[in-house]
Amino acid sequence: MEKTDINSDLYKIRHSLAHVLAQAVLEIRPDAKLGFGPPIDSGFYYDFDLTEPLSTEDLPMLEKRMRQIIKKGQVFEREELGHEEMVERLDKDNQGYKIEQVEDLSAQNEILSLYRNGPFWDLCEGPHVDSTRDIPKNCFSLDSLAGAYWKGSEENNMMQRVYGLAFETGDELKEFKEKRQLAMERDHRKLNIKQHYYAISEEVGKGLPLWLPNGTVIREELEKLAKEKEFLAGYKRVSTPHITREELFHTSGHLPFYEDSMFPPMEMDGERLFLKPMNCPHHHMIYKAEPRSYRDLPLRLAEYGTCYRYEQSGELAGLLRVRGMTMNDAHIYCSPEQAKEELLNVLNLHTQYYELFGLKDFWMRLSLAEKDTGKFVDEPELWQKAETLITEVMEEVGVPYEAVRGEAAFYGPKIDFQVTNVIGREETASTNQLDLVMGKRFGLTYIASDNQEHTPIIIHRAPLGTHERFVAFLIEHYGGAFPTWLAPLQVRVIPVASAFNEYAHGLNDSLFSSFVRTELDDSHDSFSKKIRSAAVAKIPNILIVGENEQAGQTVTWQRYGSKDRKTLAFDAFIELLQEEILKRQDWRTDDQ
RNA sequence: UCCUCAGUAGCUCAGUGGUAGAGCGUUUCCUUGGUAAGGAAGAGGUCGGCAGUUCAAUCCUGCUCUCAGGCUCCA
């Protein structure tokens, strides 16, 4: 992701606005304690610890004060201070958070500097504009209030964060707001209101979506796709239960490494049963159900497995974050010699999917373990081997990637596929792990050609992630206008007047018996109204029939979002449509 | 889990300390000819829930639930 250059005008403007905001807040809340106040992608924010909280109604007034400050032409001046002196000055102003920050900076031997503008000063490394007058008029606006933990840690105090938008010109600010508005229209929760993909019912529970008929179509089409791809790639399908005895999760290490994210256990007949948060332990048990020879490897076990994870309620968001989810899961058990090729095949499968959906904006994130955090299984040698292998494969695939320490699964390094959704938020679309640990923990073995027992390497992979997240992502990606193969309703037949209902009815029946998801609009609406309704519902194909069509046994075919019309024989239409569905084409992006 | 915002008809939203409003959608009837709203009538609401203040609360106060934006977490 691009970062604004620290010496650019824009960075200086945003950074300086953060100081101006803090100054304005201190004017109305003199006892405010300052936290962090950095520039960000769309502007800036500043964190405050306040005895009397700000309300959104205060924002216009704060913004006005900011403009007044800017008009004064306050000059930014830098000063460098020693540790003692800086702490002393901050202490005098009662800025405890800043003192903590000074201690952290000093520990890293950073130079301590402050910036002063007018009556305000702040611990800061800069840079800033020369004078507040250099901040263009109308280039910013205060955006929202939010809570934010001090230093981003749940353990710490909750501060109040004020977000501001800021750009180099007022036009850019306006443009950003318009774009954001458009993006909000594509939010899957918003589209869901009209398109009815899923429902979340209070009676059923938070984070436990009910899939309505429309959403289920998309889910099942994805599942069909995955099953075909996996079949051709030599996967075997399996099926496993949702609840499981405690012992299995001790073996896997989910207890205690993952217990916080699991639903509390059910007690029965003196034993404890958990809802599974992942499918891996079960697949391992399937591996273990028979003795394995190197001739059985690689063994690829696939399942659309439903898992339950206890997410905190504030984290739940439509279909994007839920508590019950169905994963496009599979585990590949292989020998060390096979691991590289298997991993490569898995990554290639991802790129095939992404090409199919026309997703271009993605990158890979390599998540590695971090020592001594207690978050990862303690097998340094195996970790080392896994990380070397996975890095090699990443290099070979050639898709750009970014390595992050400390983000691995507790049993192995991860390759995540990161995508940016329409709202600009980064999401993990799928996650894949290379696991040298679990084979050993579960006592999985195979007899190799040397007639000795060996432990297989396990690759966890889920290219389509979970139905919940992936469908949400696709709804936003397509803006609710799906290609024919995915669309809940593929065709609507519209007679130009009721006199042609009978002919239209016949066409609709034929399509239906060819397994096309089709509907006849024989309502009493005017013809224009019917066209509009079909467009509003974003149905990919409409068929218009009237006198001409009836006479020639033809249909007039029109795509969603297009004014082009084509009149062709009905049989020819069915053939074309079936081919498009079978090949999973998108008429907007594929040449036909 | 916490911070801020918001909950009025299926949806989008007005509104008032004194019997609840619009548009769209829906239902019924009339109408029907070629590309984004034909007409008429009707149904539809414990104004999120509980408690308090008041002669009277959808409106004011408190609590609670849900939702949205953050933070944290993450598929």
Side-chain angles (χ1 to χ4, degrees):
Chain A
M1 291 222 298
E2 56 184 296
K3 289 245 157 48
T4 308
D5 176 22
I6 181 163
N7 286 311
S8 67
D9 289 344
L10 182 57
Y11 185 95
K12 289 180 189 171
I13 288 168
R14 287 173 171 169
H15 202 171
S16 305
L17 277 164
H19 283 219
V20 173
L21 167 64
Q23 189 181 143
V25 169
L26 282 170
E27 284 177 11
I28 59 164
R29 299 278 198 285
D31 61 343
K33 294 194 177 54
L34 307 183
F36 292 121
I40 52 171
D41 275 358
S42 56
F44 59 93
Y45 68 78
Y46 214 115
D47 291 341
F48 306 95
D49 188 358
L50 304 165
T51 43
E52 190 195 339
L54 290 169
S55 124
T56 40
E57 285 165 23
D58 297 325
L59 293 184
M61 177 262 291
L62 271 175
E63 202 175 297
K64 202 167 141 199
R65 281 176 185 270
M66 285 175 72
R67 292 188 202 287
Q68 283 165 354
I69 292 167
I70 288 168
K71 242 189 254 169
K72 287 181 188 158
Q74 296 174 349
V75 175
F76 280 88
E77 288 171 301
R78 181 189 170 94
E79 191 179 339
E80 289 182 13
L81 291 182
H83 179 98
E84 295 303 319
E85 204 178 344
M86 186 66 90
V87 170
E88 210 170 285
R89 286 209 207 173
L90 288 168
D91 190 48
K92 211 172 85 192
D93 283 5
N94 207 12
Q95 293 296 348
Y97 293 98
K98 292 287 180 184
I99 294 175
E100 201 179 324
Q101 175 66 358
V102 166
E103 302 298 346
D104 290 353
L105 290 172
S106 295
Q108 298 162 35
N109 292 317
E110 295 278 338
I111 296 168
L112 297 175
S113 60
L114 63 83
Y115 273 80
R116 189 187 300 283
N117 60 304
F120 179 79
W121 71 278
D122 193 5
L123 171 72
C124 178
E125 68 167 341
H128 286 280
V129 295
D130 296 332
S131 154
T132 53
R133 232 188 271 284
D134 297 334
I135 298 170
K137 247 193 251 169
N138 303 325
C139 79
F140 79 100
S141 70
L142 293 184
D143 195 37
S144 60
L145 289 175
Y149 299 107
W150 165 239
K151 286 191 196 166
S153 166
E154 277 186 283
E155 316 271 299
N156 292 336
N157 253 355
M158 175 67 69
M159 306 183 78
Q160 206 174 13
R161 176 172 296 179
V162 182
Y163 278 98
L165 301 173
F167 294 88
E168 272 182 86
T169 62
D171 283 347
E172 282 173 75
L173 174 66
K174 214 174 120 191
E175 194 187 327
F176 176 86
K177 285 184 174 174
E178 281 165 6
K179 260 190 168 161
R180 187 167 68 170
Q181 184 58 37
L182 283 177
M184 273 161 52
E185 301 290 322
R186 291 173 85 109
D187 189 310
H188 74 282
R189 289 165 300 189
K190 185 143 188 176
L191 288 168
N192 184 51
I193 292 170
K194 298 271 182 223
Q195 311 282 52
H196 311 288
Y197 301 114
Y198 67 93
I200 291 183
S201 140
E202 246 178 82
E203 288 90 332
V204 173
K206 292 204 244 204
L208 299 168
L210 300 163
W211 289 82
L212 305 178
N214 286 350
T216 306
V217 165
I218 298 166
R219 218 183 123 109
E220 291 192 342
E221 287 296 341
L222 287 176
E223 217 162 301
K224 209 158 97 189
L225 167 71
K227 284 177 179 171
E228 283 172 23
K229 290 274 185 198
E230 286 161 8
F231 176 83
L232 293 176
Y235 288 77
K236 307 276 184 229
R237 302 212 75 81
V238 295
S239 191
T240 60
H242 293 199
I243 63 172
T244 295
R245 294 175 58 202
E246 169 172 28
E247 283 70 16
L248 188 68
F249 295 119
H250 279 300
T251 308
S252 66
H254 283 91
L255 301 171
F257 285 107
Y258 206 78
E259 188 167 11
D260 285 352
S261 302
M262 290 166 71
F263 274 89
M266 290 165 264
E267 308 257 352
M268 201 187 67
D269 295 340
E271 61 182 14
R272 306 207 303 163
L273 295 157
F274 283 88
L275 280 164
K276 65 175 173 183
M278 294 183 190
N279 302 304
C280 2
H282 298 77
H283 290 183
H284 300 341
M285 296 319 286
I286 288 176
Y287 180 94
K288 226 180 159 175
E290 300 172 41
R292 304 289 177 183
S293 139
Y294 73 98
R295 293 175 197 277
D296 298 329
L297 306 188
L299 179 68
R300 309 179 187 92
L301 301 179
E303 174 179 20
Y304 254 105
T306 302
C307 299
Y308 297 88
R309 298 184 189 171
Y310 185 78
E311 305 286 350
Q312 297 181 68
S313 68
E315 297 166 351
L316 301 172
L319 285 181
L320 278 175
R321 284 299 294 283
V322 293
R323 285 176 171 167
M325 69 213 83
T326 301
M327 298 172 68
N328 169 227
D329 215 354
H331 295 88
I332 301 171
Y333 302 84
C334 63
S335 68
E337 299 74 43
Q338 293 165 331
K340 198 165 166 180
E341 192 186 336
E342 289 302 314
L343 203 50
L344 266 170
N345 288 342
V346 164
L347 297 187
N348 286 333
L349 184 59
H350 280 74
T351 41
Q352 280 180 44
Y353 283 138
Y354 286 17
E355 198 173 314
L356 175 64
F357 294 114
L359 302 175
K360 296 194 177 74
D361 194 14
F362 69 92
W363 68 99
M364 298 194 296
R365 187 177 70 180
L366 174 59
S367 302
L368 304 169
E370 195 164 24
K371 277 181 194 151
D372 305 324
T373 52
K375 280 161 68 184
F376 308 101
V377 173
D378 188 25
E379 296 274 4
E381 227 172 276
L382 295 179
W383 274 100
Q384 182 57 42
K385 262 165 89 178
E387 294 193 353
T388 308
L389 180 64
I390 208 167
T391 309
E392 269 176 45
V393 174
M394 299 285 276
E395 295 289 348
E396 204 156 312
V397 174
V399 175
Y401 75 92
E402 189 185 317
V404 199
R405 281 268 159 215
E407 294 293 316
F410 68 84
Y411 47 77
K414 289 199 293 190
I415 300 173
D416 294 331
F417 277 72
Q418 300 296 110
V419 292
T420 310
N421 73 9
V422 279
I423 306 153
R425 246 196 316 234
E426 184 182 332
E427 294 287 352
T428 300
S430 81
T431 188
N432 308 279
Q433 294 120 21
L434 180 64
D435 173 4
L436 305 188
V437 174
M438 285 299 158
K440 200 170 145 191
R441 285 184 84 107
F442 276 87
L444 307 185
T445 57
Y446 63 94
I447 308 294
S449 53
D450 60 5
N451 206 24
Q452 301 289 310
E453 284 197 339
H454 293 260
T455 304
I457 286 176
I458 305 166
I459 295 166
H460 305 239
R461 44 112 281 175
L464 297 177
T466 62
H467 275 322
E468 286 72 17
R469 183 170 289 185
F470 208 79
V471 170
F473 180 76
L474 286 181
I475 291 170
E476 297 183 359
H477 172 65
Y478 288 117
F482 286 94
T484 306
W485 71 277
L486 273 174
L489 185 63
Q490 297 171 312
V491 175
R492 183 172 282 169
V493 184
I494 303 178
V496 301
S498 54
F500 310 102
N501 280 359
E502 202 180 322
Y503 177 58
H505 199 275
L507 299 181
N508 191 58
D509 281 353
S510 300
L511 282 167
F512 189 78
S513 33
S514 313
F515 294 97
V516 173
R517 296 186 290 269
T518 181
E519 200 173 83
L520 167 66
D521 187 350
D522 57 359
S523 67
H524 287 187
D525 289 336
S526 65
F527 176 64
S528 283
K529 181 63 182 292
K530 291 181 183 186
I531 296 287
R532 181 186 148 81
S533 303
V536 168
K538 306 187 193 217
I539 298 160
N541 304 283
I542 55 175
L543 292 186
I544 313 299
V545 294
E547 192 172 339
N548 301 335
E549 287 81 3
Q550 185 168 353
Q553 295 294 295
T554 59
V555 293
T556 294
W557 179 14
Q558 191 173 343
R559 300 287 202 179
Y560 171 73
S562 165
K563 291 221 182 321
D564 295 340
R565 280 160 234 158
K566 191 158 51 172
T567 300
L568 69 172
F570 178 61
D571 293 345
F573 167 75
I574 291 205
E575 211 168 294
L576 284 172
L577 194 77
Q578 281 179 324
E579 187 183 333
E580 176 177 325
I581 292 169
L582 192 70
K583 293 188 174 164
R584 300 191 170 94
Q585 290 168 331
D586 186 333
W587 75 94
R588 294 159 295 197
T589 51
D590 296 338
D591 296 325
Q592 288 175 38

